[in-house]
PDB file of all heavy atoms in Angstrom:
ATOM      1  N   TYR A   1     112.596 100.714 179.152  1.00 98.00           N
ATOM      2  CA  TYR A   1     113.440 101.029 177.990  1.00 98.00           C
ATOM      3  C   TYR A   1     112.581 101.692 176.906  1.00 98.00           C
ATOM      4  O   TYR A   1     112.936 102.770 176.363  1.00 98.00           O
ATOM      5  CB  TYR A   1     114.010  99.768 177.405  1.00 98.00           C
ATOM      6  CG  TYR A   1     114.692  99.938 176.048  1.00 98.00           C
ATOM      7  CD1 TYR A   1     115.969 100.528 175.955  1.00 98.00           C
ATOM      8  CD2 TYR A   1     114.091  99.504 174.925  1.00 98.00           C
ATOM      9  CE1 TYR A   1     116.607 100.701 174.739  1.00 98.00           C
ATOM     10  CE2 TYR A   1     114.691  99.680 173.716  1.00 98.00           C
ATOM     11  CZ  TYR A   1     115.930 100.275 173.571  1.00 98.00           C
ATOM     12  OH  TYR A   1     116.568 100.426 172.342  1.00 98.00           O
ATOM     13  N   TYR A   2     111.405 101.176 176.634  1.00 98.00           N
ATOM     14  CA  TYR A   2     110.562 101.715 175.556  1.00 98.00           C
ATOM     15  C   TYR A   2     109.791 103.010 175.963  1.00 98.00           C
ATOM     16  O   TYR A   2     109.253 103.704 175.059  1.00 98.00           O
ATOM     17  CB  TYR A   2     109.613 100.639 175.081  1.00 98.00           C
ATOM     18  CG  TYR A   2     110.351  99.656 174.187  1.00 98.00           C
ATOM     19  CD1 TYR A   2     110.587  98.336 174.671  1.00 98.00           C
ATOM     20  CD2 TYR A   2     110.763  99.960 172.954  1.00 98.00           C
ATOM     21  CE1 TYR A   2     111.228  97.394 173.907  1.00 98.00           C
ATOM     22  CE2 TYR A   2     111.439  99.011 172.141  1.00 98.00           C
ATOM     23  CZ  TYR A   2     111.681  97.745 172.639  1.00 98.00           C
ATOM     24  OH  TYR A   2     112.340  96.815 171.843  1.00 98.00           O
ATOM     25  N   THR A   3     109.711 103.273 177.236  1.00 98.00           N
ATOM     26  CA  THR A   3     109.050 104.538 177.642  1.00 98.00           C
ATOM     27  C   THR A   3     110.086 105.550 178.196  1.00 98.00           C
ATOM     28  O   THR A   3     109.685 106.597 178.679  1.00 98.00           O
ATOM     29  CB  THR A   3     108.032 104.301 178.759  1.00 98.00           C
ATOM     30  OG1 THR A   3     108.689 103.621 179.913  1.00 98.00           O
ATOM     31  CG2 THR A   3     106.865 103.360 178.261  1.00 98.00           C
ATOM     32  N   SER A   4     111.392 105.289 178.058  1.00 98.00           N
ATOM     33  CA  SER A   4     112.421 106.174 178.606  1.00 98.00           C
ATOM     34  C   SER A   4     112.411 107.523 177.963  1.00 98.00           C
ATOM     35  O   SER A   4     111.884 107.718 176.807  1.00 98.00           O
ATOM     36  CB  SER A   4     113.755 105.516 178.397  1.00 98.00           C
ATOM     37  OG  SER A   4     114.098 105.422 177.032  1.00 98.00           O
ATOM     38  N   LYS A   5     112.988 108.509 178.635  1.00 98.00           N
ATOM     39  CA  LYS A   5     113.026 109.900 178.039  1.00 98.00           C
ATOM     40  C   LYS A   5     113.828 109.902 176.744  1.00 98.00           C
ATOM     41  O   LYS A   5     113.485 110.540 175.784  1.00 98.00           O
ATOM     42  CB  LYS A   5     113.620 110.859 179.077  1.00 98.00           C
ATOM     43  CG  LYS A   5     113.572 112.290 178.594  1.00 98.00           C
ATOM     44  CD  LYS A   5     114.054 113.201 179.771  1.00 98.00           C
ATOM     45  CE  LYS A   5     113.990 114.661 179.297  1.00 98.00           C
ATOM     46  NZ  LYS A   5     114.416 115.602 180.415  1.00 98.00           N
ATOM     47  N   GLU A   6     114.893 109.111 176.716  1.00 97.00           N
ATOM     48  CA  GLU A   6     115.722 108.985 175.472  1.00 97.00           C
ATOM     49  C   GLU A   6     114.888 108.501 174.353  1.00 97.00           C
ATOM     50  O   GLU A   6     114.981 108.965 173.203  1.00 97.00           O
ATOM     51  CB  GLU A   6     116.941 108.109 175.766  1.00 97.00           C
ATOM     52  CG  GLU A   6     117.820 107.964 174.531  1.00 97.00           C
ATOM     53  CD  GLU A   6     118.970 106.979 174.713  1.00 97.00           C
ATOM     54  OE1 GLU A   6     119.045 106.421 175.844  1.00 97.00           O
ATOM     55  OE2 GLU A   6     119.759 106.838 173.805  1.00 97.00           O
ATOM     56  N   MET A   7     114.095 107.412 174.585  1.00 98.00           N
ATOM     57  CA  MET A   7     113.263 106.862 173.516  1.00 98.00           C
ATOM     58  C   MET A   7     112.188 107.823 173.083  1.00 98.00           C
ATOM     59  O   MET A   7     111.977 108.031 171.928  1.00 98.00           O
ATOM     60  CB  MET A   7     112.608 105.520 174.018  1.00 98.00           C
ATOM     61  CG  MET A   7     111.778 104.852 172.946  1.00 98.00           C
ATOM     62  SD  MET A   7     112.782 104.216 171.586  1.00 98.00           S
ATOM     63  CE  MET A   7     113.713 102.911 172.417  1.00 98.00           C
ATOM     64  N   ARG A   8     111.578 108.565 174.070  1.00 98.00           N
ATOM     65  CA  ARG A   8     110.543 109.563 173.723  1.00 98.00           C
ATOM     66  C   ARG A   8     111.179 110.674 172.894  1.00 98.00           C
ATOM     67  O   ARG A   8     110.516 111.203 171.994  1.00 98.00           O
ATOM     68  CB  ARG A   8     109.867 110.057 175.016  1.00 98.00           C
ATOM     69  CG  ARG A   8     108.788 109.126 175.495  1.00 98.00           C
ATOM     70  CD  ARG A   8     108.213 109.611 176.743  1.00 98.00           C
ATOM     71  NE  ARG A   8     109.032 109.347 177.898  1.00 98.00           N
ATOM     72  CZ  ARG A   8     109.183 110.134 178.941  1.00 98.00           C
ATOM     73  NH1 ARG A   8     108.660 111.326 178.957  1.00 98.00           N
ATOM     74  NH2 ARG A   8     109.982 109.794 179.948  1.00 98.00           N
ATOM     75  N   THR A   9     112.350 111.058 173.188  1.00 98.00           N
ATOM     76  CA  THR A   9     113.032 112.067 172.444  1.00 98.00           C
ATOM     77  C   THR A   9     113.164 111.674 170.971  1.00 98.00           C
ATOM     78  O   THR A   9     112.849 112.483 170.082  1.00 98.00           O
ATOM     79  CB  THR A   9     114.481 112.380 173.038  1.00 98.00           C
ATOM     80  OG1 THR A   9     114.275 112.866 174.394  1.00 98.00           O
ATOM     81  CG2 THR A   9     115.167 113.484 172.258  1.00 98.00           C
ATOM     82  N   ARG A  10     113.641 110.477 170.740  1.00 98.00           N
ATOM     83  CA  ARG A  10     113.817 109.945 169.408  1.00 98.00           C
ATOM     84  C   ARG A  10     112.518 109.894 168.701  1.00 98.00           C
ATOM     85  O   ARG A  10     112.326 110.264 167.546  1.00 98.00           O
ATOM     86  CB  ARG A  10     114.535 108.579 169.406  1.00 98.00           C
ATOM     87  CG  ARG A  10     115.921 108.610 169.890  1.00 98.00           C
ATOM     88  CD  ARG A  10     116.457 107.200 169.887  1.00 98.00           C
ATOM     89  NE  ARG A  10     117.831 107.072 170.347  1.00 98.00           N
ATOM     90  CZ  ARG A  10     118.511 105.941 170.447  1.00 98.00           C
ATOM     91  NH1 ARG A  10     117.965 104.857 170.000  1.00 98.00           N
ATOM     92  NH2 ARG A  10     119.762 105.926 170.841  1.00 98.00           N
ATOM     93  N   VAL A  11     111.484 109.307 169.391  1.00 98.00           N
ATOM     94  CA  VAL A  11     110.198 109.131 168.739  1.00 98.00           C
ATOM     95  C   VAL A  11     109.544 110.449 168.359  1.00 98.00           C
ATOM     96  O   VAL A  11     109.029 110.657 167.255  1.00 98.00           O
ATOM     97  CB  VAL A  11     109.273 108.363 169.756  1.00 98.00           C
ATOM     98  CG1 VAL A  11     107.789 108.438 169.355  1.00 98.00           C
ATOM     99  CG2 VAL A  11     109.694 106.955 169.879  1.00 98.00           C
ATOM    100  N   TYR A  12     109.587 111.391 169.280  1.00 98.00           N
ATOM    101  CA  TYR A  12     108.997 112.701 169.015  1.00 98.00           C
ATOM    102  C   TYR A  12     109.730 113.399 167.854  1.00 98.00           C
ATOM    103  O   TYR A  12     109.128 114.000 166.896  1.00 98.00           O
ATOM    104  CB  TYR A  12     109.057 113.621 170.262  1.00 98.00           C
ATOM    105  CG  TYR A  12     108.207 114.861 170.203  1.00 98.00           C
ATOM    106  CD1 TYR A  12     106.940 114.862 170.701  1.00 98.00           C
ATOM    107  CD2 TYR A  12     108.720 116.040 169.630  1.00 98.00           C
ATOM    108  CE1 TYR A  12     106.151 116.011 170.718  1.00 98.00           C
ATOM    109  CE2 TYR A  12     107.918 117.136 169.553  1.00 98.00           C
ATOM    110  CZ  TYR A  12     106.659 117.182 170.096  1.00 98.00           C
ATOM    111  OH  TYR A  12     105.910 118.294 170.050  1.00 98.00           O
ATOM    112  N   ASP A  13     111.054 113.403 167.894  1.00 98.00           N
ATOM    113  CA  ASP A  13     111.838 114.093 166.881  1.00 98.00           C
ATOM    114  C   ASP A  13     111.693 113.454 165.457  1.00 98.00           C
ATOM    115  O   ASP A  13     111.662 114.106 164.488  1.00 98.00           O
ATOM    116  CB  ASP A  13     113.289 114.127 167.246  1.00 98.00           C
ATOM    117  CG  ASP A  13     113.545 115.040 168.480  1.00 98.00           C
ATOM    118  OD1 ASP A  13     112.653 115.808 168.816  1.00 98.00           O
ATOM    119  OD2 ASP A  13     114.697 114.963 169.041  1.00 98.00           O
ATOM    120  N   GLU A  14     111.597 112.096 165.473  1.00 97.00           N
ATOM    121  CA  GLU A  14     111.397 111.449 164.175  1.00 97.00           C
ATOM    122  C   GLU A  14     110.039 111.748 163.622  1.00 97.00           C
ATOM    123  O   GLU A  14     109.888 111.998 162.387  1.00 97.00           O
ATOM    124  CB  GLU A  14     111.586 109.941 164.336  1.00 97.00           C
ATOM    125  CG  GLU A  14     112.949 109.425 164.531  1.00 97.00           C
ATOM    126  CD  GLU A  14     113.833 109.644 163.268  1.00 97.00           C
ATOM    127  OE1 GLU A  14     113.254 109.693 162.155  1.00 97.00           O
ATOM    128  OE2 GLU A  14     115.055 109.858 163.413  1.00 97.00           O
ATOM    129  N   PHE A  15     109.010 111.775 164.461  1.00 97.00           N
ATOM    130  CA  PHE A  15     107.684 112.024 164.008  1.00 97.00           C
ATOM    131  C   PHE A  15     107.575 113.410 163.414  1.00 97.00           C
ATOM    132  O   PHE A  15     106.982 113.654 162.325  1.00 97.00           O
ATOM    133  CB  PHE A  15     106.674 111.834 165.180  1.00 97.00           C
ATOM    134  CG  PHE A  15     105.247 112.045 164.777  1.00 97.00           C
ATOM    135  CD1 PHE A  15     104.623 111.236 163.789  1.00 97.00           C
ATOM    136  CD2 PHE A  15     104.431 113.029 165.398  1.00 97.00           C
ATOM    137  CE1 PHE A  15     103.268 111.428 163.519  1.00 97.00           C
ATOM    138  CE2 PHE A  15     103.107 113.236 165.046  1.00 97.00           C
ATOM    139  CZ  PHE A  15     102.532 112.386 164.132  1.00 97.00           C
ATOM    140  N   THR A  16     108.063 114.396 164.103  1.00 97.00           N
ATOM    141  CA  THR A  16     107.975 115.791 163.642  1.00 97.00           C
ATOM    142  C   THR A  16     108.913 115.999 162.436  1.00 97.00           C
ATOM    143  O   THR A  16     108.536 116.791 161.515  1.00 97.00           O
ATOM    144  CB  THR A  16     108.369 116.789 164.768  1.00 97.00           C
ATOM    145  OG1 THR A  16     109.670 116.469 165.325  1.00 97.00           O
ATOM    146  CG2 THR A  16     107.324 116.764 165.839  1.00 97.00           C
ATOM    147  N   ALA A  17     110.053 115.367 162.378  1.00 96.00           N
ATOM    148  CA  ALA A  17     110.897 115.505 161.206  1.00 96.00           C
ATOM    149  C   ALA A  17     110.276 114.952 159.911  1.00 96.00           C
ATOM    150  O   ALA A  17     110.555 115.502 158.840  1.00 96.00           O
ATOM    151  CB  ALA A  17     112.219 114.699 161.408  1.00 96.00           C
ATOM    152  N   LYS A  18     109.316 114.092 160.038  1.00 94.00           N
ATOM    153  CA  LYS A  18     108.642 113.496 158.906  1.00 94.00           C
ATOM    154  C   LYS A  18     107.338 114.300 158.610  1.00 94.00           C
ATOM    155  O   LYS A  18     106.521 113.871 157.797  1.00 94.00           O
ATOM    156  CB  LYS A  18     108.309 112.044 159.114  1.00 94.00           C
ATOM    157  CG  LYS A  18     109.544 111.139 159.181  1.00 94.00           C
ATOM    158  CD  LYS A  18     109.196 109.765 159.562  1.00 94.00           C
ATOM    159  CE  LYS A  18     110.461 108.832 159.640  1.00 94.00           C
ATOM    160  NZ  LYS A  18     110.126 107.483 160.097  1.00 94.00           N
ATOM    161  N   GLY A  19     107.146 115.446 159.263  1.00 96.00           N
ATOM    162  CA  GLY A  19     105.991 116.296 159.091  1.00 96.00           C
ATOM    163  C   GLY A  19     104.803 116.014 159.978  1.00 96.00           C
ATOM    164  O   GLY A  19     103.749 116.665 159.814  1.00 96.00           O
ATOM    165  N   GLY A  20     104.964 115.119 160.953  1.00 95.00           N
ATOM    166  CA  GLY A  20     103.941 114.865 161.930  1.00 95.00           C
ATOM    167  C   GLY A  20     103.689 116.034 162.846  1.00 95.00           C
ATOM    168  O   GLY A  20     104.608 116.850 163.137  1.00 95.00           O
ATOM    169  N   LYS A  21     102.422 116.230 163.274  1.00 94.00           N
ATOM    170  CA  LYS A  21     102.081 117.347 164.146  1.00 94.00           C
ATOM    171  C   LYS A  21     101.424 116.820 165.404  1.00 94.00           C
ATOM    172  O   LYS A  21     100.214 116.629 165.498  1.00 94.00           O
ATOM    173  CB  LYS A  21     101.150 118.288 163.359  1.00 94.00           C
ATOM    174  CG  LYS A  21     101.775 118.885 162.111  1.00 94.00           C
ATOM    175  CD  LYS A  21     100.779 119.848 161.452  1.00 94.00           C
ATOM    176  CE  LYS A  21     101.458 120.503 160.193  1.00 94.00           C
ATOM    177  NZ  LYS A  21     100.537 121.412 159.479  1.00 94.00           N
ATOM    178  N   PRO A  22     102.223 116.581 166.447  1.00 96.00           N
ATOM    179  CA  PRO A  22     101.735 116.146 167.681  1.00 96.00           C
ATOM    180  C   PRO A  22     100.796 117.284 168.326  1.00 96.00           C
ATOM    181  O   PRO A  22     100.920 118.454 168.041  1.00 96.00           O
ATOM    182  CB  PRO A  22     102.952 115.974 168.603  1.00 96.00           C
ATOM    183  CG  PRO A  22     104.106 115.914 167.630  1.00 96.00           C
ATOM    184  CD  PRO A  22     103.702 116.739 166.470  1.00 96.00           C
ATOM    185  N   CYS A  23      99.901 116.808 169.180  1.00 96.00           N
ATOM    186  CA  CYS A  23      99.035 117.747 169.947  1.00 96.00           C
ATOM    187  C   CYS A  23      99.575 118.009 171.298  1.00 96.00           C
ATOM    188  O   CYS A  23      98.848 118.344 172.244  1.00 96.00           O
ATOM    189  CB  CYS A  23      97.629 117.194 169.989  1.00 96.00           C
ATOM    190  SG  CYS A  23      96.808 116.989 168.432  1.00 96.00           S
ATOM    191  N   ILE A  24     100.901 117.894 171.449  1.00 97.00           N
ATOM    192  CA  ILE A  24     101.564 118.097 172.733  1.00 97.00           C
ATOM    193  C   ILE A  24     102.948 118.697 172.442  1.00 97.00           C
ATOM    194  O   ILE A  24     103.574 118.312 171.502  1.00 97.00           O
ATOM    195  CB  ILE A  24     101.613 116.762 173.558  1.00 97.00           C
ATOM    196  CG1 ILE A  24     102.312 117.017 174.898  1.00 97.00           C
ATOM    197  CG2 ILE A  24     102.429 115.750 172.791  1.00 97.00           C
ATOM    198  CD1 ILE A  24     102.259 115.803 175.832  1.00 97.00           C
ATOM    199  N   ASP A  25     103.365 119.662 173.262  1.00 97.00           N
ATOM    200  CA  ASP A  25     104.621 120.224 173.117  1.00 97.00           C
ATOM    201  C   ASP A  25     105.739 119.195 173.425  1.00 97.00           C
ATOM    202  O   ASP A  25     105.535 118.294 174.243  1.00 97.00           O
ATOM    203  CB  ASP A  25     104.854 121.446 174.065  1.00 97.00           C
ATOM    204  CG  ASP A  25     103.946 122.639 173.621  1.00 97.00           C
ATOM    205  OD1 ASP A  25     103.587 122.738 172.394  1.00 97.00           O
ATOM    206  OD2 ASP A  25     103.676 123.454 174.481  1.00 97.00           O
ATOM    207  N   ARG A  26     106.874 119.376 172.883  1.00 98.00           N
ATOM    208  CA  ARG A  26     107.971 118.484 173.052  1.00 98.00           C
ATOM    209  C   ARG A  26     108.389 118.389 174.515  1.00 98.00           C
ATOM    210  O   ARG A  26     108.616 117.267 175.079  1.00 98.00           O
ATOM    211  CB  ARG A  26     109.175 118.897 172.207  1.00 98.00           C
ATOM    212  CG  ARG A  26     110.436 117.943 172.194  1.00 98.00           C
ATOM    213  CD  ARG A  26     111.504 118.470 171.304  1.00 98.00           C
ATOM    214  NE  ARG A  26     112.579 117.521 171.079  1.00 98.00           N
ATOM    215  CZ  ARG A  26     113.648 117.456 171.840  1.00 98.00           C
ATOM    216  NH1 ARG A  26     113.814 118.296 172.825  1.00 98.00           N
ATOM    217  NH2 ARG A  26     114.632 116.614 171.577  1.00 98.00           N
ATOM    218  N   ALA A  27     108.477 119.518 175.202  1.00 98.00           N
ATOM    219  CA  ALA A  27     108.874 119.556 176.604  1.00 98.00           C
ATOM    220  C   ALA A  27     107.839 118.755 177.437  1.00 98.00           C
ATOM    221  O   ALA A  27     108.254 118.046 178.367  1.00 98.00           O
ATOM    222  CB  ALA A  27     109.028 120.994 177.099  1.00 98.00           C
ATOM    223  N   ASP A  28     106.595 118.953 177.198  1.00 98.00           N
ATOM    224  CA  ASP A  28     105.563 118.232 177.934  1.00 98.00           C
ATOM    225  C   ASP A  28     105.574 116.704 177.644  1.00 98.00           C
ATOM    226  O   ASP A  28     105.321 115.909 178.503  1.00 98.00           O
ATOM    227  CB  ASP A  28     104.173 118.825 177.584  1.00 98.00           C
ATOM    228  CG  ASP A  28     103.971 120.203 178.152  1.00 98.00           C
ATOM    229  OD1 ASP A  28     104.674 120.587 179.107  1.00 98.00           O
ATOM    230  OD2 ASP A  28     103.135 120.941 177.546  1.00 98.00           O
ATOM    231  N   TYR A  29     105.869 116.347 176.385  1.00 98.00           N
ATOM    232  CA  TYR A  29     105.950 114.993 176.038  1.00 98.00           C
ATOM    233  C   TYR A  29     107.134 114.273 176.772  1.00 98.00           C
ATOM    234  O   TYR A  29     106.964 113.150 177.275  1.00 98.00           O
ATOM    235  CB  TYR A  29     106.170 114.888 174.533  1.00 98.00           C
ATOM    236  CG  TYR A  29     105.997 113.483 173.959  1.00 98.00           C
ATOM    237  CD1 TYR A  29     104.793 112.826 173.877  1.00 98.00           C
ATOM    238  CD2 TYR A  29     107.149 112.807 173.460  1.00 98.00           C
ATOM    239  CE1 TYR A  29     104.666 111.538 173.330  1.00 98.00           C
ATOM    240  CE2 TYR A  29     107.029 111.544 172.952  1.00 98.00           C
ATOM    241  CZ  TYR A  29     105.772 110.928 172.849  1.00 98.00           C
ATOM    242  OH  TYR A  29     105.697 109.690 172.337  1.00 98.00           O
ATOM    243  N   LEU A  30     108.225 114.980 176.907  1.00 98.00           N
ATOM    244  CA  LEU A  30     109.370 114.445 177.558  1.00 98.00           C
ATOM    245  C   LEU A  30     109.230 114.419 179.046  1.00 98.00           C
ATOM    246  O   LEU A  30     109.970 113.696 179.765  1.00 98.00           O
ATOM    247  CB  LEU A  30     110.640 115.160 177.146  1.00 98.00           C
ATOM    248  CG  LEU A  30     110.964 115.126 175.616  1.00 98.00           C
ATOM    249  CD1 LEU A  30     112.309 115.834 175.427  1.00 98.00           C
ATOM    250  CD2 LEU A  30     111.015 113.729 175.119  1.00 98.00           C
ATOM    251  N   ALA A  31     108.307 115.207 179.541  1.00 98.00           N
ATOM    252  CA  ALA A  31     108.107 115.291 180.997  1.00 98.00           C
ATOM    253  C   ALA A  31     107.020 114.321 181.529  1.00 98.00           C
ATOM    254  O   ALA A  31     106.792 114.282 182.768  1.00 98.00           O
ATOM    255  CB  ALA A  31     107.719 116.735 181.429  1.00 98.00           C
ATOM    256  N   LYS A  32     106.476 113.561 180.719  1.00 97.00           N
ATOM    257  CA  LYS A  32     105.415 112.613 181.044  1.00 97.00           C
ATOM    258  C   LYS A  32     105.886 111.614 182.057  1.00 97.00           C
ATOM    259  O   LYS A  32     107.038 111.197 182.064  1.00 97.00           O
ATOM    260  CB  LYS A  32     104.851 111.880 179.822  1.00 97.00           C
ATOM    261  CG  LYS A  32     103.935 112.693 178.972  1.00 97.00           C
ATOM    262  CD  LYS A  32     103.285 111.750 177.931  1.00 97.00           C
ATOM    263  CE  LYS A  32     102.263 112.543 177.110  1.00 97.00           C
ATOM    264  NZ  LYS A  32     101.433 111.627 176.255  1.00 97.00           N
TER     265      LYS A  32
END
């Protein structure tokens, strides 16, 4: 549940919406 693609989508989008800058593209993050 906590590593699901849906959860990762929310986590990534919330982080970037708050100005966070991941070192990985969204598509690659969701494909892990």
Side-chain angles (χ1 to χ4, degrees):
Y1 170 77
Y2 285 107
T3 59
S4 67
K5 187 174 181 179
E6 179 183 2
M7 184 66 70
R8 279 178 281 142
T9 300
R10 294 180 182 179
V11 166
Y12 193 96
D13 291 348
E14 285 295 332
F15 183 61
T16 54
K18 294 174 181 176
K21 297 180 179 179
C23 296
I24 182 172
D25 291 337
R26 186 176 188 271
D28 291 337
Y29 190 71
L30 300 184
K32 283 190 175 190

